[in-house]
Amino acid sequence: MITLKGKGVCSGIAIGEIEIYRPFIPNISQETIRQEDVPGELQRYEAAMAASCSELSALEALTDTPESSAIISVHLDLLNDPSIDESVRGLITESRFPADRAADLTFEQSAGLLESCGDDILAERAADLRDVKRRFLRNYAGEKEASLSRLSRPVILAAHDLLPSETAVLDRKNVLGIVTEIGGMTSHLAILAKSYDIPAVLGVSGLMESAEEAMPVILNGGDGRVILAPDGDTRRAMEAEQARHLWEKALAAEFMDKPGATADGVPLQLGVNIGSSRPEELEGTERADYVGLFRTEFLYMNSGHMPTEEEQFEAYKKALLFYAPRPVTLRTLDIGGDKSLPYYPLPHEENPFLGCRAFRLCMEHRELFRTQLRAALRASVYGNLWLMIPMIGSLDDIRRAKEALAEVRAELDAERIPYSGDVKFGIMIEVPAIALIADKVAQEVDFASVGTNDLCQYLTAADRGNPGVAQYYQSYHPALFRVLCYVSECFQQAQKPLSVCGELGGDRLAAPVLAGMGFQKLSMPLSSLPYVKQALAGRTMPQLQSLAEAVCASATAEEAENCMR
C-alpha cells in the first residue's frame, strides 16, 4: 500500500481501479524543407488546421456545462487567431520550417510569454495554447484522437496532466475520480471537476511512477490523499467514510426545495452565485430567492476577445428574464489580482491584489466600464437589476462610481434608449477600510454585499492564492467575524439590504453564524444551497444569536470553529 499526497480540489471519496491516460506525444521534425516543397507544406498545414477545427466543433456538441463549452470556444478562437496563423505561415515560407516545427515554435513562444508574467491565471491559460498545439500536431501526423468521452467501465483516471479539451468531454458516467501529477486550484481541471462533482486530487508528485493500469486505488478529494493498492482494513474504513459522505449529501438534498428558514420560522433569503447566463448554468437555480452575484468577468475570461456591448447586453438580458421579478446582482468587471485576460494584458505589478484591479482598473480604462454599464442599463428593462461595484475602498470611490453611472444614464437618455429607473446601486465590502466606515457607506448606497474571500485575505495579510501562507489565511478568524458583525449592525440601523456572497455565505458552519449576526441574505454556489438550508433549519434564531456572540468572543480561529461545530 502506497499513500501519496496532493491537493484536494473537489471533495468526495472515490474507490475503484486506475486507468492511466497517456496522450499523443509528437515527434517534431528539426530539418528544413526545400523551397519547391513550401506550397505543399502550406497545404498540409491548412489541412491539419481544418481537421483540428472540425474536431473541436464536434466536441462542442458533446459539452453540457458552461465551463466545458467555454473551453472549446476559446480553443476554436486560438486556432483561428490571425497572429498565430501569420507566424506559422511565415516560418514555413521564409525559414522553410516544416509545419509541425513552425506551429510548435509559435505556440510555445506564446505560452512562454503567458507563463513569464508571474500570474497564476495566465500561466494556466498557457495550457490552452499547448492543448491546441498538440491537437494540431496530432492531426499533422495523421494520428487518431484518444478520447476520454467514451470509457468502457467505471475508473479513476490517472494522468500526468489532463488538458482542457480532454476534461471538457469526460465520460462522466464512468469517471469515478481524477488524479494528476500537476494542476492547481485555478486550473481548468479543478474548475471542471467541481462543476461535474467528481472527486479530484491534483499535484500528486510521483503518481505516474507508482501507479499501474487497473491497480486498486482510493482518493479523498477532501484531504488530498491518494492510496494505491489499499489493504483490506484501509479499504473498509474508506468505504464507511464514503457511505457517510453520500448519506450526508442525500440528507441535505431533501432541503433543496424547502424555503430558507430557521427552526422557529424566521425566513432568510438564499441566493446563488453564477458566472454566465447559459441555460446549463441557470438550470436548477430557480430554487434560489435571488442572484447574489453574477460574476461578469467570466464573460470576458471565457471569450477570445473583449465582449462587445451587444454581447454583454444579451447575456445580462437572459439572466434578468430568467429570474424576473427576483433580483439579479450584477457585479461589474472584477479583473486583476487573481483574474486576468489573455487578450488584454495588464502591466506587471509586484502586489496585484493591492494594485490596479476591479473598480480601480475600470477608472483607468473608462471605456471598459462605460461599455459594461451601458449594456447593463439597457438590459435592466427585462428584470430586476441590482448593480454592484467591487474593490471599493472609500466614499470617494463610491461617488466616482455614481458619477460614471449618471454619465451613462445621460448618454442613454440623449439616445432615447430605455432603461429601468429602479436599478439598485451597491458595492462589495471587501476592503477593511470600507468595512470600518460601514455606517457612512450605508447612507450612500442602496445595498451592499460582503466578499469574505478578499476581506479575509486583507484582514489577515495572507494571499489566499499562495499555498505558502495558507495557514495564515484563516477564514474563521474571530477578527473577520467581528468586522462582519459591525457591518451588519450598521446596515440594520440604516434599514438597507446586506448580503454575503463570499465563501462564508455557502459555508454550512459559518452561515448560521451570519444569520445570527443579522444577515438576512446569503448567496452561494448552487451545490451549497441544500447544506445551508439544512444547517439553518436545525436551529432557532435565539440559538443562532448566541452562537454568533460566542464566535465573536473567540480568541482564535480554532476556538471559533469549535463553537460552530
Side-chain angles (χ1 to χ4, degrees):
M1 185 171 79
I2 302 171
T3 300
L4 303 174
K5 194 76 168 67
K7 182 177 290 294
V9 298
C10 185
S11 63
I13 294 169
I15 302 174
E17 293 184 348
I18 282 180
E19 175 150 324
I20 297 175
Y21 177 68
R22 292 188 172 88
F24 165 77
I25 299 175
N27 182 20
I28 307 295
S29 172
Q30 297 302 314
E31 299 179 358
T32 56
I33 58 176
R34 297 175 302 175
Q35 187 62 42
E36 57 266 30
D37 292 333
V38 166
E41 192 64 16
L42 286 171
Q43 288 181 347
R44 192 176 174 191
Y45 160 67
E46 290 165 358
M49 289 294 276
S52 300
C53 286
S54 295
E55 282 182 357
L56 285 171
S57 296
L59 287 176
E60 197 167 28
L62 296 175
T63 60
D64 58 357
T65 70
E67 293 85 358
S68 55
S69 179
I71 288 169
I72 301 301
S73 177
V74 168
H75 286 201
L76 280 166
D77 285 345
L78 289 173
L79 276 175
N80 292 297
D81 188 318
S83 63
I84 288 176
D85 181 67
E86 181 181 355
S87 174
V88 175
R89 289 181 183 274
L91 289 170
I92 294 172
T93 57
E94 296 170 19
S95 302
R96 291 191 289 114
F97 284 1
D100 58 345
R101 184 179 175 187
D104 183 57
L105 183 62
T106 296
F107 280 103
E108 277 304 314
Q109 284 179 338
S110 298
L113 284 172
L114 291 179
E115 287 180 322
S116 67
C117 290
D119 184 296
D120 289 343
I121 299 294
L122 283 180
E124 293 290 354
R125 294 295 178 264
D128 289 304
L129 284 162
R130 293 196 170 99
D131 194 345
V132 170
K133 179 194 76 171
R134 197 169 74 182
R135 181 176 298 279
F136 167 82
L137 293 174
R138 180 178 49 72
N139 280 306
Y140 178 84
E143 296 283 340
K144 290 185 178 180
E145 183 176 26
S147 176
L148 293 174
S149 61
R150 290 184 181 84
L151 298 170
S152 60
R153 61 194 174 93
V155 294
I156 292 175
L157 277 180
H160 173 68
D161 189 20
L162 289 177
L163 293 176
S165 66
E166 293 164 342
T167 51
V169 293
L170 279 180
D171 179 359
R172 285 189 277 162
K173 292 181 180 177
N174 283 316
V175 176
L176 303 174
I178 300 169
V179 55
T180 64
E181 285 191 316
I182 65 174
M185 295 298 290
T186 58
S187 68
H188 284 303
L189 181 51
I191 294 167
L192 289 173
K194 292 175 185 175
S195 171
Y196 295 163
D197 196 22
I198 297 175
V201 180
L202 311 185
V204 181
S205 180
L207 170 68
M208 299 304 279
E209 294 176 11
S210 305
E212 297 176 9
E213 193 71 29
M215 174 186 278
V217 62
I218 298 171
L219 71 84
N220 187 328
D223 63 18
R225 280 183 299 154
V226 178
I227 305 170
L228 303 175
D231 59 32
D233 289 344
T234 300
R235 186 181 182 101
R236 283 187 288 274
M238 294 305 290
E239 284 174 344
E241 192 169 338
Q242 181 188 49
R244 182 183 60 79
H245 177 82
L246 294 174
W247 175 77
E248 288 180 350
K249 187 174 180 179
L251 193 64
E254 296 178 8
F255 287 82
M256 179 60 98
D257 293 319
K258 295 181 180 180
T262 60
D264 52 345
V266 178
L268 292 108
Q269 294 185 56
L270 303 182
V272 289
N273 302 335
I274 63 173
S276 80
S277 57
R278 294 173 182 268
E280 308 96 305
E281 178 150 3
L282 297 181
E283 183 180 353
T285 60
E286 66 276 359
R287 293 155 169 169
D289 299 318
Y290 69 111
V291 173
L293 176 62
F294 186 153
R295 295 185 176 95
T296 63
E297 62 270 16
F298 284 114
L299 294 174
Y300 295 76
M301 294 169 68
N302 292 334
S303 175
H305 64 277
M306 190 67 71
T308 65
E309 179 182 325
E310 204 60 33
E311 287 170 334
Q312 293 185 62
F313 164 72
E314 289 295 335
Y316 306 153
K317 173 184 172 182
K318 286 177 185 176
L320 287 163
L321 282 170
F322 183 86
Y323 283 100
R326 290 169 293 172
V328 173
T329 310
L330 186 153
R331 181 174 69 186
T332 58
L333 185 59
D334 189 8
I335 291 296
D338 60 343
K339 296 186 285 288
S340 303
L341 304 177
Y343 53 83
Y344 196 76
L346 302 173
H348 175 70
E349 294 181 296
E350 291 299 324
N351 292 299
F353 274 110
L354 301 178
C356 188
R357 54 173 297 210
F359 174 70
R360 298 171 180 178
L361 181 70
C362 287
M363 286 293 97
E364 292 292 320
H365 303 271
R366 294 288 187 115
E367 192 58 31
L368 282 180
F369 199 37
R370 174 181 165 275
T371 299
Q372 184 169 41
L373 292 178
R374 282 179 60 91
L377 286 179
R378 286 175 54 202
S380 66
V381 297
Y382 296 96
N384 187 356
L385 175 65
W386 292 35
L387 198 61
M388 183 166 67
I389 316 297
M391 196 61 181
I392 293 293
S394 65
L395 293 188
D396 295 325
D397 284 348
I398 293 175
R399 290 162 185 168
R400 286 200 295 163
K402 284 181 174 180
E403 288 171 5
L405 187 59
E407 289 171 7
V408 171
R409 283 190 170 117
E411 275 185 20
L412 296 178
D413 287 338
E415 298 171 32
R416 296 185 178 180
I417 296 175
Y419 59 88
S420 171
D422 193 30
V423 173
K424 299 291 189 294
F425 173 86
I427 67 163
M428 289 276 287
I429 294 180
E430 49 196 340
V431 176
I434 206 73
L436 293 175
I437 56 168
D439 56 333
K440 305 296 184 185
V441 172
Q443 305 304 319
E444 294 269 345
V445 299
D446 297 319
F447 73 97
S449 187
V450 183
T452 53
N453 304 355
D454 274 346
L455 182 58
C456 181
Q457 80 166 344
Y458 293 137
L459 278 171
T460 59
D463 181 350
R464 60 189 173 94
N466 182 351
V469 294
Q471 62 177 316
Y472 301 105
Y473 177 85
Q474 298 177 353
S475 55
Y476 294 153
H477 198 298
L480 176 60
F481 284 111
R482 290 188 183 191
V483 170
L484 290 170
C485 191
Y486 171 70
V487 173
S488 176
E489 288 171 357
C490 291
F491 272 76
Q492 286 180 68
Q493 289 172 8
Q495 297 185 324
K496 297 286 182 70
L498 178 68
S499 176
V500 170
C501 61
E503 287 292 324
L504 287 187
D507 185 312
R508 70 180 82 178
L509 294 183
V513 178
L514 298 175
M517 289 178 178
F519 284 90
Q520 295 181 329
K521 300 179 69 175
L522 304 173
S523 190
M524 63 204 72
L526 180 63
S527 59
S528 299
L529 203 55
Y531 294 103
V532 170
K533 287 184 176 182
Q534 180 188 38
L536 294 171
R539 301 168 177 86
T540 65
M541 183 53 74
Q543 287 175 323
L544 297 184
Q545 290 167 344
S546 296
L547 173 62
E549 290 174 5
V551 167
C552 287
S554 298
T556 66
E558 184 180 6
E559 281 185 28
E561 183 173 354
N562 288 337
C563 279
M564 292 185 282
R565 289 195 181 281

